[in-house]
C-alpha cells in the first residue's frame, strides 16, 4: 500500500529528524553569524540540503574565501554521495525519471543508510516509503534553519549545551549499524586511520574522500565471500 | 551586504547546490553505463557506508577533546545494544555531566 509505505517512511525518518534538528538550528544561527540573511540561510538549506557541507560553506564564506574554493570544498565534503548513488542504483531501478530526480536530491547519509538496510532486509524500496523518509527530514530541516537563524543569538556557545557531541555520535551509530557486513572491522579501521592521517597531512575536507577511498579499496582487494562469487546483473538504463 | 554582494552570495549557494546534486546523481550515472556489476565492485560498494562514515567519526574522536572522546566511548557501548536515539541521549548526558559536574 502506497499510503502505508509513505507513513512507514515518515516514522522511520522521525528519529533522524529529531537528531538533525539541533544541527539545522545551529546551521541557521552560525549562518547569520557569518553574514547570511535569514533568507540566505533557508535558501541554502532548501537547495543544498547537506548539513556538514553547509557548515563548511558558511565558515569559508565568513572568511571571504574565493567562490570557486567554497563550491569546490562543498563538492569535496559531499563527494561521498557519488558512492551512495552508485550503491543505491541497484535498489531504485524501478523509479521513474522524475522520481529518481527527487530521490537523488533527497539522498542524505541516513536516507542512504536506511535504503540499504531496507533492501538488505528484503523489504521493497518503494518511492512512497523513500519520499516519506526524505520529507520528514527535508521539511523540518528548513523550519529548524529558519528558527535557528531567527533565534541565533540565544544559542550562544554550542559546547556549553553539549551540541558538538551529537553529530559524531550519530555517525558512529550508523557505522555500528553496518557491523554485520563483510570485512566491516578492517574497513572501519583503515578508513579511520587514513582519514586521521589525511586530516593531518592534507587537511579538511579532503580527509573524508581520502579515508573513504582507502577503506573501499581495501574491501575490493580482500578475499571475496561466497555470496559475491556470482556477478550481479544490472539491466541497462535508458 | 549591499545588493551586488547579496546576489553574489545567492550565485555561490546555487553553484554549491548544483555541485551537491552532481555528487548525488554522479555515481548512478556512472554505474548505469555498465551492464553488470563485477563482484569486486560489489564488495567495494558494500563497504562504502562504513568507510565514509568512519571518516566523520575518527577525526572527531581524536580532536574533540577528552570529554567528547569519553562520551563517544560511552555511546558506543550503548549502541551495541540500543538504538541510535539512546546513543545520542546517553552520549549527550555523558558530555554534559563531564562538563558541568566533573569540571
Amino acid at each position: 500500500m502506497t499510503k502505508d509505505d509513505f507513513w512507514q517512511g515518515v516514522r522511520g525518518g522521525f528519529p533522524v529528524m529529531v537528531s538533525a534538528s539541533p544541527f539545522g538550528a545551529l546551521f541557521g544561527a552560525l549562518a547569520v553569524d557569518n553574514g547570511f540573511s535569514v533568507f540566505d540561510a533557508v535558501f541554502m538549506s532548501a537547495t543544498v540540503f547537506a548539513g556538514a557541507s553547509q557548515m563548511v560553506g558558511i565558515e569559508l564564506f565568513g572568511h571571504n574565501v574565493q567562490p570557486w574554493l567554497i563550491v569546490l570544498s562543498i563538492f569535496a565534503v559531499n563527494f561521498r554521495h557519488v558512492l551512495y548513488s552508485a550503491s543505491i542504483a541497484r535498489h531504485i531501478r524501478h523509479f521513474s525519471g522524475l522520481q529518481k530526480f527527487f530521490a537523488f536530491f533527497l539522498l542524505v547519509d541516513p536516507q542512504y543508510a536506511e535504503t540499504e538496510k531496507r533492501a538488505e532486509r528484503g523489504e521493497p524500496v518503494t518511492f512512497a516509503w523513500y519520499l516519506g523518509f526524505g520529507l520528514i527530514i527535508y521539511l523540518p530541516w528548513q523550519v529548524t534553519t529558519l528558527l535557528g537563524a531567527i533565534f541565533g543569538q540565544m544559542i550562544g556557545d554550542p559546547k556549553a549545551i553539549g551540541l558538538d557531541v551529537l553529530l559524531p555520535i550519530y555517525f558512529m551509530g550508523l557505522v555500528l549499524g553496518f557491523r554485520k557486513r563483510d570485512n566491516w572491522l578492517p574497513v572501519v579501521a583503515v578508513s579511520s586511520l587514513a582519514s586521521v592521517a589525511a586530516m593531518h597531512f592534507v587537511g579538511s575536507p579532503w580527509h573524508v574522500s581520502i579515508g573513504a577511498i582507502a577503506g573501499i579499496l581495501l574491501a575490493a582487494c580482500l578475499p571475496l565471500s561466497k555470496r559475491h562469487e556470482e556477478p550481479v546483473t544490472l539491466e541497462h538504463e535508458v | 551586504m549591499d545588493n551586488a554582494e547579496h546576489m553574489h552570495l545567492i550565485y555561490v549557494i546555487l553553484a554549491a547546490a548544483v555541485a551537491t546534486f552532481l555528487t548525488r546523481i554522479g555515481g548512478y550515472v556512472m554505474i548505469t553505463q555498465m551492464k553488470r556489476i563485477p563482484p569486486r565492485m560489489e564488495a567495494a560498494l558494500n563497504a562504502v557506508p562504513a568507510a565514509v562514515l568512519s571518516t566523520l567519526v575518527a577525526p572527531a574522536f581524536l580532536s574533540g577533546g577528552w570529554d567528547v572522546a569519553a562520551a563517544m566511548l560511552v555511546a558506543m557501548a550503548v549502541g551495541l545494544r540500543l538504538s541510535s536515539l539512546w546513543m545520542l541521549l546517553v552520549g549527550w548526558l555523558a558530555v554534559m555531566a563531564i562538563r558541568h559536574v566533573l569540571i
Side-chain angles (χ1 to χ4, degrees), chain A residues 40 49 85 159-160 220 228 234, chain B residues 6 24 35 39-40 99-100:
Chain A
D40 299 331
F49 187 46
S85 65
K159 278 189 93 162
H228 291 306
L234 186 75
Chain B
H6 188 246
R24 283 181 172 148
K35 290 221 164 175
R40 291 218 172 259
R99 283 174 189 168
H100 296 281

Side-chain angles (χ1 to χ4, degrees), chain B residues 6-60:
Chain B
H6 188 246
M7 279 319 290
H8 167 79
L9 171 60
I10 293 293
Y11 291 138
V12 171
I13 292 173
L14 278 177
V18 170
T20 301
F21 187 75
L22 287 178
T23 67
R24 283 181 172 148
I25 201 165
Y28 173 81
V29 171
M30 278 191 290
I31 205 136
T32 48
Q33 300 306 309
M34 290 180 268
K35 290 221 164 175
R36 67 188 187 91
I37 306 175
R40 291 218 172 259
M41 178 174 284
E42 212 204 347
L45 288 178
N46 280 331
V48 170
V52 174
L53 294 164
S54 294
T55 71
L56 304 179
V57 175

Side-chain angles (χ1 to χ4, degrees), chain A residues 159-181:
Chain A
K159 278 189 93 162
I161 52 170
L163 282 188
D164 56 316
V165 83
L166 296 180
L167 201 52
I169 288 179
Y170 179 70
F171 287 137
M172 188 168 67
L174 289 179
V175 172
L176 286 176
F178 287 103
R179 65 184 181 275
K180 299 245 159 62
R181 289 202 173 179

Side-chain angles (χ1 to χ4, degrees), chain A residues 25-62:
Chain A
L26 191 61
F27 167 75
L30 294 177
V32 169
D33 198 41
N34 279 274
F36 278 43
S37 68
V38 173
F39 171 83
D40 299 331
V42 177
F43 184 68
M44 190 175 196
S45 277
T47 55
V48 178
F49 187 46
S53 76
Q54 289 178 228
M55 297 288 191
V56 171
I58 56 170
E59 173 85 5
L60 295 178
F61 188 83

Side-chain angles (χ1 to χ4, degrees), chain A residues 8-236:
Chain A
Q8 201 188 356
V10 168
R11 278 196 301 278
F14 192 81
V16 178
M17 181 270 279
V18 170
S19 55
S21 290
F23 303 106
L26 191 61
F27 167 75
L30 294 177
V32 169
D33 198 41
N34 279 274
F36 278 43
S37 68
V38 173
F39 171 83
D40 299 331
V42 177
F43 184 68
M44 190 175 196
S45 277
T47 55
V48 178
F49 187 46
S53 76
Q54 289 178 228
M55 297 288 191
V56 171
I58 56 170
E59 173 85 5
L60 295 178
F61 188 83
H63 288 99
N64 290 315
V65 172
Q66 303 96 312
W68 68 267
L69 190 54
I70 297 177
V71 176
L72 181 67
S73 297
I74 288 174
F75 184 78
V77 173
N78 289 328
F79 192 74
R80 63 187 188 280
H81 294 112
V82 170
L83 307 166
Y84 292 171
S85 65
S87 173
I88 214 176
R90 301 171 287 175
H91 309 308
I92 65 163
R93 273 180 295 171
H94 53 288
F95 286 14
S96 75
L98 194 63
Q99 286 174 339
K100 277 176 188 151
F101 177 86
F102 285 114
F104 288 122
F105 180 74
L106 294 171
L107 187 57
V108 291
D109 303 82
Q111 181 91 44
Y112 166 67
E114 288 301 325
T115 303
E116 284 279 324
K117 276 199 234 165
R118 192 174 168 85
E120 201 165 274
R121 284 197 303 264
E123 291 170 29
V125 178
T126 59
F127 182 68
W129 171 83
Y130 193 102
L131 190 67
F133 194 98
L135 285 183
I136 193 62
I137 303 170
Y138 180 79
L139 296 177
W141 183 251
Q142 316 311 323
V143 176
T144 52
T145 299
L146 178 68
L147 293 177
I150 292 172
F151 299 108
Q153 311 304 329
M154 292 167 64
I155 285 183
D157 177 17
K159 278 189 93 162
I161 52 170
L163 282 188
D164 56 316
V165 83
L166 296 180
L167 201 52
I169 288 179
Y170 179 70
F171 287 137
M172 188 168 67
L174 289 179
V175 172
L176 286 176
F178 287 103
R179 65 184 181 275
K180 299 245 159 62
R181 289 202 173 179
D182 297 337
N183 300 321
W184 179 79
L185 194 57
V187 166
V188 168
V190 164
S191 284
S192 299
L193 289 174
S195 70
V196 170
M199 181 95 128
H200 186 72
F201 294 111
V202 186
S204 181
W206 291 104
H207 68 285
V208 174
S209 301
I210 292 170
I213 286 166
I216 292 159
L217 283 178
L218 176 76
C221 296
L222 285 172
L224 297 170
S225 73
K226 277 210 167 136
R227 60 193 176 89
H228 291 306
E229 277 168 13
E230 285 296 311
V232 178
T233 49
L234 186 75
E235 284 163 23
H236 197 70

